Amino acid sequence: MELLELYGLMDRFAASGLTALEWEKDGERVALRREGAASPVQAAPAPLPAAQKPEERGEVVAAPLVGVFYAAPSPEEPPYATAGAQVKKGDALCLIEAMKMMSEVPAPADCVVEEVLAQDGEAVGVGAPLFRIRRV
Protein backbone atom coordinates (compact mmCIF):
# COMPACT_ATOMS: atom_id res chain seq x y z
CA MET A 1 0.00 0.00 0.00
CA GLU A 2 1.40 3.37 -0.98
CA LEU A 3 1.77 6.02 1.72
CA LEU A 4 -0.83 8.30 0.07
CA GLU A 5 -3.33 5.42 -0.01
CA LEU A 6 -2.72 4.82 3.70
CA TYR A 7 -3.18 8.54 4.49
CA GLY A 8 -6.42 8.57 2.49
CA LEU A 9 -7.70 5.49 4.35
CA MET A 10 -6.78 7.05 7.70
CA ASP A 11 -8.50 10.31 6.75
CA ARG A 12 -11.72 8.56 5.73
CA PHE A 13 -11.63 6.44 8.90
CA ALA A 14 -11.22 9.54 11.09
CA ALA A 15 -14.18 11.26 9.39
CA SER A 16 -16.46 8.22 9.37
CA GLY A 17 -17.34 7.65 13.00
CA LEU A 18 -16.29 3.99 12.75
CA THR A 19 -14.62 2.49 15.81
CA ALA A 20 -12.63 -0.15 13.93
CA LEU A 21 -11.57 -0.87 10.36
CA GLU A 22 -9.56 -3.71 8.87
CA TRP A 23 -8.34 -3.50 5.29
CA GLU A 24 -6.42 -6.09 3.30
CA LYS A 25 -5.04 -5.57 -0.19
CA ASP A 26 -2.41 -7.56 -2.07
CA GLY A 27 -1.31 -9.39 1.06
CA GLU A 28 -0.87 -6.20 3.12
CA ARG A 29 -3.16 -5.70 6.12
CA VAL A 30 -4.04 -2.48 7.95
CA ALA A 31 -6.09 -2.39 11.16
CA LEU A 32 -7.35 0.93 12.55
CA ARG A 33 -9.09 1.25 15.91
CA ARG A 34 -10.51 4.23 17.77
CA GLU A 35 -10.30 4.10 21.57
CA GLY A 36 -13.13 5.36 23.77
CA ALA A 37 -15.65 5.93 20.98
CA ALA A 38 -19.11 6.22 22.50
CA SER A 39 -21.05 6.77 19.30
CA PRO A 40 -22.69 3.91 17.39
CA VAL A 41 -20.89 2.59 14.33
CA GLN A 42 -21.79 4.31 11.07
CA ALA A 43 -20.64 3.59 7.55
CA ALA A 44 -20.34 7.32 6.77
CA PRO A 45 -21.84 10.57 7.92
CA ALA A 46 -25.20 11.24 6.31
CA PRO A 47 -25.10 14.03 3.71
CA LEU A 48 -27.29 17.06 4.22
CA PRO A 49 -30.39 17.26 2.05
CA ALA A 50 -29.87 19.51 -0.97
CA ALA A 51 -32.02 22.28 0.54
CA GLN A 52 -29.76 22.47 3.64
CA LYS A 53 -26.41 22.55 1.86
CA PRO A 54 -24.69 25.93 1.98
CA GLU A 55 -24.69 27.82 -1.30
CA GLU A 56 -21.44 27.15 -3.07
CA ARG A 57 -20.03 29.75 -5.42
CA GLY A 58 -16.55 29.93 -6.77
CA GLU A 59 -13.76 27.42 -6.84
CA VAL A 60 -12.48 25.40 -3.88
CA VAL A 61 -8.78 25.16 -3.10
CA ALA A 62 -8.28 21.75 -1.51
CA ALA A 63 -5.53 20.35 0.68
CA PRO A 64 -2.88 18.60 -1.43
CA LEU A 65 -1.72 16.44 1.50
CA VAL A 66 -2.60 15.26 4.99
CA GLY A 67 -1.37 17.53 7.76
CA VAL A 68 -2.16 20.48 10.02
CA PHE A 69 -3.54 23.69 8.48
CA TYR A 70 -1.86 26.95 9.48
CA ALA A 71 -3.29 30.26 8.26
CA ALA A 72 -0.14 32.25 9.11
CA PRO A 73 3.62 31.64 9.04
CA SER A 74 3.72 32.02 12.85
CA PRO A 75 1.23 32.81 15.64
CA GLU A 76 2.52 36.42 15.87
CA GLU A 77 2.07 37.15 12.16
CA PRO A 78 -1.12 37.90 10.21
CA PRO A 79 -2.73 35.18 8.06
CA TYR A 80 -1.52 34.72 4.50
CA ALA A 81 -5.06 35.11 3.13
CA THR A 82 -8.32 36.28 4.67
CA ALA A 83 -11.83 36.56 3.26
CA GLY A 84 -11.92 39.43 0.79
CA ALA A 85 -8.16 39.41 0.14
CA GLN A 86 -6.97 39.61 -3.46
CA VAL A 87 -3.99 37.35 -4.19
CA LYS A 88 -1.80 36.66 -7.19
CA LYS A 89 -1.19 33.27 -8.77
CA GLY A 90 1.46 31.42 -6.76
CA ASP A 91 1.07 33.53 -3.59
CA ALA A 92 0.90 31.42 -0.43
CA LEU A 93 -2.63 30.94 0.91
CA CYS A 94 -1.61 28.86 3.94
CA LEU A 95 0.82 26.27 5.26
CA ILE A 96 0.25 22.58 5.86
CA GLU A 97 2.58 20.83 8.27
CA ALA A 98 3.16 17.14 7.59
CA MET A 99 5.78 15.12 9.41
CA LYS A 100 7.44 18.30 10.74
CA MET A 101 7.77 19.76 7.23
CA MET A 102 5.92 22.90 6.18
CA SER A 103 4.40 23.08 2.70
CA GLU A 104 2.90 26.24 1.24
CA VAL A 105 -0.42 25.95 -0.58
CA PRO A 106 -0.24 28.44 -3.48
CA ALA A 107 -3.09 30.32 -5.12
CA PRO A 108 -3.95 28.54 -8.40
CA ALA A 109 -4.64 31.87 -10.17
CA ASP A 110 -5.09 35.58 -9.56
CA CYS A 111 -8.16 35.52 -7.34
CA VAL A 112 -10.18 36.91 -4.45
CA VAL A 113 -10.50 34.74 -1.36
CA GLU A 114 -14.24 34.46 -0.81
CA GLU A 115 -14.09 32.27 2.29
CA VAL A 116 -11.57 30.51 4.52
CA LEU A 117 -13.01 27.02 5.08
CA ALA A 118 -10.40 25.50 7.44
CA GLN A 119 -9.60 26.48 11.02
CA ASP A 120 -6.07 27.38 12.10
CA GLY A 121 -4.41 24.37 13.76
CA GLU A 122 -6.99 21.93 12.34
CA ALA A 123 -5.95 18.56 10.90
CA VAL A 124 -6.87 18.28 7.23
CA GLY A 125 -6.83 15.39 4.79
CA VAL A 126 -6.12 15.15 1.10
CA GLY A 127 -8.89 16.96 -0.75
CA ALA A 128 -10.23 18.79 2.33
CA PRO A 129 -11.62 22.20 1.34
CA LEU A 130 -9.36 25.03 2.57
CA PHE A 131 -10.54 28.13 0.69
CA ARG A 132 -13.31 29.20 -1.64
CA ILE A 133 -11.93 31.59 -4.26
CA ARG A 134 -13.19 33.63 -7.23
CA ARG A 135 -10.82 34.07 -10.16
CA VAL A 136 -10.23 37.62 -11.37
Side-chain angles (χ1 to χ4, degrees), residues 47-128:
L48 293 173
Q52 292 181 346
K53 286 187 180 177
E55 189 173 321
E56 295 181 4
R57 291 186 182 165
E59 180 180 337
V60 171
V61 176
L65 66 154
V66 174
V68 177
F69 172 87
Y70 292 108
S74 73
E76 303 83 35
E77 295 186 49
Y80 287 108
T82 57
Q86 188 163 353
V87 295
K88 299 279 185 198
K89 179 179 182 175
D91 286 354
L93 294 174
C94 67
L95 293 173
I96 296 182
E97 178 186 14
M99 298 175 65
K100 302 200 186 238
M101 294 196 56
M102 297 294 204
S103 299
E104 287 186 351
V105 176
D110 291 354
C111 60
V112 173
V113 176
E114 294 288 327
E115 186 179 4
V116 180
L117 303 170
Q119 298 293 319
D120 195 46
E122 167 183 52
V124 295
V126 175

Side-chain angles (χ1 to χ4, degrees), residues 6-90:
L6 178 59
Y7 285 155
L9 183 63
M10 290 167 54
D11 189 40
R12 286 181 178 250
F13 174 72
S16 72
L18 293 172
T19 58
L21 173 71
E22 292 187 21
W23 177 267
E24 189 168 344
K25 180 179 176 185
D26 300 327
E28 295 178 314
R29 185 169 177 254
V30 175
L32 302 173
R33 301 204 191 300
R34 186 184 326 258
E35 296 295 321
S39 62
V41 175
Q42 298 176 318
L48 293 173
Q52 292 181 346
K53 286 187 180 177
E55 189 173 321
E56 295 181 4
R57 291 186 182 165
E59 180 180 337
V60 171
V61 176
L65 66 154
V66 174
V68 177
F69 172 87
Y70 292 108
S74 73
E76 303 83 35
E77 295 186 49
Y80 287 108
T82 57
Q86 188 163 353
V87 295
K88 299 279 185 198
K89 179 179 182 175

